[in-house]
Amino acid sequence: GNDCNTGTLDTDDDCANHGTASMSELTANNNLGDIDRGVSGIPVDSWKIFTCNTLSTLAVIRGFQQAILAEDRVIVAQLQASPCDENSALASAADGAFGAGAVVVAANGNYGPGAGTVPCPANARKALGVGAADSYSLALQDYSGRGPTPDGRTKPDVLGPTNVWAASNTGPTDMQQFGGTSAATPNVAGAVGLMRN
């Protein structure tokens, strides 16, 4: 029931532990100690919008709509659609979610370091675009997408830590190294959730 795609998808975390790692950063318990707990303890709704290699724009839009219907006030958008500008259907869906009362925290993507490399929906006018900074050196990562957006706005809006330890779906106490703007985004989203609460 949590599949926003129209086709049949495996509902497991079948994309390199991406979902499991992300959620552990956002809201994991402290069973493995405080150093490995999530940023917040907020409940999470999850909608599968793509397979590892295929993103469905319609599924993303449905995901935003379902999150609003569930009254989610922080939406974590860990996807990078490109090419796609701030007037696209994906960016408009993110802006619409903001208009409905949600904060959209979106990965700035891994297409850097060139200028104008921010994908949708991070380039939306009302989305909080998250770039990646190494959790050890604090350096902005070369791959992290950068602005300006086609209409001249600066991105990322904020940096989050990447190259972190996160949960793995291989076992109940297994951990993995997790990187990219996908690792940075749930850390920022957890902080946003705490601020909203």
Side-chain angles (χ1 to χ4, degrees), residues 85-184:
D85 69 20
E86 67 277 358
N87 298 311
S88 69
L90 286 182
S92 295
D95 288 342
F98 178 87
V103 177
V104 176
V105 183
N108 241 45
N110 301 328
Y111 299 121
T117 53
V118 180
C120 284
N123 63 4
R125 290 176 180 88
K126 298 176 182 176
L128 186 64
V130 180
D134 182 72
S135 62
Y136 302 100
S137 70
L138 305 182
L140 175 64
Q141 300 299 279
D142 283 345
Y143 59 75
S144 188
R146 292 160 170 78
T149 59
D151 63 353
R153 287 173 294 115
T154 300
K155 291 285 181 167
D157 298 298
V158 65
L159 297 177
T162 192
N163 303 325
V164 298
W165 284 99
S168 170
N169 68 4
T170 58
T173 59
D174 292 351
M175 301 290 285
Q176 66 175 341
Q177 190 78 30
F178 190 41
T181 55
S182 289

Side-chain angles (χ1 to χ4, degrees), residues 60-62 64-65 68 75 88-98 104 121 124:
V60 175
I61 293 169
R62 287 183 184 136
F64 278 121
Q65 291 168 344
I68 293 303
I75 299 174
S88 69
L90 286 182
S92 295
D95 288 342
F98 178 87
V104 176

Side-chain angles (χ1 to χ4, degrees), residues 4 10 12 41 55 58 77 105 115 126 133 167 169:
C4 288
D10 180 355
D12 291 335
L55 175 68
L58 186 55
V105 183
K126 298 176 182 176
N169 68 4

